[in-house]
Amino acid sequence: MKKIFCSVVSFLVFSLFVPEGLFPQALESSVSETKASDSQKYIQRIEWEGDENAWQYGIEIISEDASVEPLTLTTEATFVTFTLPPGNYKYRISVYDLFGHIAVQSKWCVFTITKAVQPIIGDMEENITVKKSNKVEIPVQLENVSDASKIVMINSETNEEVVAEFEVETDKDTGVNIVDKLIVPKLPEGNWTVKVTNPGGKSIVSDNININLKKKDYDFKNVNFQLQGGYPFLFGNSEVLSILDGPVKFNLGGRFSIAPINYGRNYFGFDVSYNFDDIIYQNQLLTIAVAMHTVQFSVLYQFELWEEHLYFDTRLGMGVTFMDLFSSGGYGEDFEKGYIYPAVNGCLAFMYRPVRYMNIELGAQAIALLTPDNIFVIATPVLLVGVSF
């Protein structure tokens, strides 16, 4: 005789209560509800997989706190129905053979019966404007809900369902459980309804709610004044760098950027920057000074990491460098000459906006100077303090 597998199915017929599926591991259970036209009561039902060799089944049901008298039922079917008040219970099923002996007996299965409560949705606004964010807060007025309730937002056109997070509070005066807001992932604009389903199957659906995303009253634009670490790092021809890599080097600059194109958390725009690098090498016999003025035009991409406060910022562009070279001393006459070279610029940084009109950016940039004989790279840590409008 094979082992009995039992499940609990509760449905609406002739009682005031329905069971929740709280059963031991390895038991398959389900909860359903069916309304009877001539009654407002419920009954509970235990159902299991029978055995063709079973002559009769015996079902024992006991209350875990002994508040209800034990219930013993016998049947030749593979189910029993009964009516019990709310509480925690456990049951086991015995299989009798032809001689009335117990052939097989299941383990105790635990279940809970709770009162079926109808949730209530109060008056809700027909149009709700929410802030564009990773999570959206929807104001609601819900009553008769519990932590075990399921609340979803349903799109009226696509039937898409989005599960909502919520916190249940108890009204001190009435003792009613209430919910005053729902937290859901970012929602598309459109018509949505709120559906609340309580344990036991009682549910309610709200009228349509038109969800609108709040429009920014300003574009994402930045004017930044760049303050950079005063010691740039040079890479390139080793013989030249051995001369230019002197003890005095500094970098200053500034930029103007605008990123008005926005797709979700992605921003696109352009950047115009100016950098001044001054390199001085000096000893007892020789002084060499190199002043470089670089003007760049770059494309700009920013990714929003944290709700209009933290962004990842990257820029890449082309420009031109004006170089003034001056040397004096040594074995020759003083020398001064100007050069113009194309340059490529790249930057990676993180930008933090503590308040709406201010931003701070920290990262690193590199300018590749394209000379006829070599490529020199000037890498510089970047600190930008800017104004947003």
Side-chain angles (χ1 to χ4, degrees):
M1 183 178 297
K2 63 182 180 181
K3 186 177 179 181
I4 299 174
F5 295 94
C6 52
S7 64
V8 172
V9 178
S10 65
F11 61 94
L12 173 54
V13 179
F14 294 111
S15 177
L16 293 174
F17 313 103
V18 293
E20 288 181 341
L22 300 177
F23 308 102
Q25 188 175 4
L27 287 178
E28 298 181 359
S29 63
S30 62
V31 177
S32 62
E33 182 179 65
T34 306
K35 188 169 183 179
S37 60
D38 58 347
S39 176
Q40 295 180 350
K41 296 184 178 181
Y42 295 80
I43 67 169
Q44 297 88 42
R45 176 186 176 106
I46 295 178
E47 188 176 87
W48 60 91
E49 182 181 346
D51 190 285
E52 61 182 8
N53 298 315
W55 176 68
Q56 195 177 51
Y57 301 97
I59 298 88
E60 301 171 75
I61 304 175
I62 62 175
S63 170
E64 291 198 337
D65 59 3
S67 60
V68 179
E69 289 292 329
L71 182 63
T72 301
L73 304 170
T74 58
T75 180
E76 295 181 3
T78 56
F79 68 91
V80 291
T81 59
F82 51 91
T83 298
L84 289 173
N88 295 319
Y89 298 88
K90 60 182 180 180
Y91 70 91
R92 67 180 177 182
I93 303 173
S94 302
V95 180
Y96 295 92
D97 60 20
L98 183 61
F99 302 99
H101 300 138
I102 296 178
V104 177
Q105 192 171 62
S106 72
K107 295 181 179 180
W108 286 103
C109 305
V110 179
F111 69 99
T112 299
I113 298 176
T114 60
K115 187 175 181 179
V117 178
Q118 176 64 49
I120 299 174
I121 297 179
D123 294 335
M124 297 182 62
E125 299 179 17
E126 294 182 0
N127 295 283
I128 298 178
T129 301
V130 297
K131 182 180 179 182
K132 182 176 75 67
S133 174
N134 293 335
K135 291 190 175 181
V136 175
E137 185 175 301
I138 307 293
V140 295
Q141 295 180 19
L142 308 180
E143 297 181 7
N144 294 342
V145 291
S146 70
D147 292 332
S149 299
K150 180 180 179 181
I151 304 178
V152 296
M153 300 283 295
I154 305 175
N155 189 289
S156 301
E157 297 180 358
T158 64
N159 292 323
E160 174 189 1
E161 292 190 5
V162 179
V163 178
E165 300 174 6
F166 59 93
E167 292 185 2
V168 178
E169 299 180 358
T170 302
D171 189 281
K172 295 181 180 179
D173 298 327
T174 63
V176 175
N177 289 341
I178 59 175
V179 171
D180 59 8
K181 66 179 178 181
L182 304 177
I183 305 298
V184 297
K186 185 184 298 183
L187 293 175
E189 291 185 324
N191 290 323
W192 295 78
T193 59
V194 177
K195 182 178 180 180
V196 184
T197 304
N198 276 348
K202 292 265 185 195
S203 64
I204 189 172
V205 180
S206 73
D207 295 332
N208 278 341
I209 306 169
N210 186 25
I211 302 296
N212 300 296
L213 296 182
K214 182 179 180 181
K215 305 299 182 183
K216 290 185 178 181
D217 53 4
Y218 65 97
D219 287 331
F220 186 85
K221 302 176 182 178
N222 302 300
V223 178
N224 300 287
F225 300 97
Q226 185 172 350
L227 303 176
Q228 300 182 194
Y231 195 87
F233 300 92
L234 304 179
F235 305 91
N237 185 284
S238 59
E239 294 181 2
V240 176
L241 292 183
S242 64
I243 299 176
L244 297 182
D245 195 17
V248 181
K249 294 187 291 185
F250 66 89
N251 172 277
L252 293 175
R255 73 182 182 95
F256 169 82
S257 67
I258 177 172
I261 304 174
N262 172 218
Y263 293 99
R265 298 163 65 183
N266 302 280
Y267 295 84
F268 302 88
F270 65 88
D271 172 283
V272 178
S273 63
Y274 165 77
N275 284 275
F276 172 67
D277 294 276
D278 196 28
I279 304 170
I280 300 174
Y281 174 83
Q282 189 174 30
N283 59 27
Q284 295 179 350
L285 301 176
L286 179 66
T287 297
I288 299 177
V290 180
M292 292 183 290
H293 306 265
T294 303
V295 179
Q296 296 277 345
F297 179 86
S298 306
V299 293
L300 169 66
Y301 168 71
Q302 292 170 329
F303 180 76
E304 181 182 355
L305 296 172
W306 174 40
E307 298 186 359
E308 300 185 0
H309 288 291
L310 183 64
Y311 297 82
F312 172 71
D313 188 351
T314 179
R315 302 186 295 274
L316 180 64
M318 292 286 297
V320 61
T321 296
F322 302 89
M323 177 186 293
D324 293 323
L325 176 63
F326 171 80
S327 66
S328 63
Y331 300 99
E333 299 180 355
D334 293 350
F335 174 82
E336 182 175 0
K337 190 172 182 180
Y339 302 90
I340 300 177
Y341 298 116
V344 177
N345 175 64
C347 180
L348 296 175
F350 290 95
M351 184 173 67
Y352 174 60
R353 299 178 65 191
V355 294
R356 172 175 171 179
Y357 295 103
M358 178 183 179
N359 61 68
I360 302 171
E361 189 168 343
L362 180 65
Q365 76 169 13
I367 298 176
L369 190 63
L370 309 179
T371 69
D373 300 324
N374 206 340
I375 297 177
F376 294 93
V377 178
I378 305 173
T380 311
V382 176
L383 173 64
L384 302 100
V385 178
V387 178
S388 301
F389 59 90

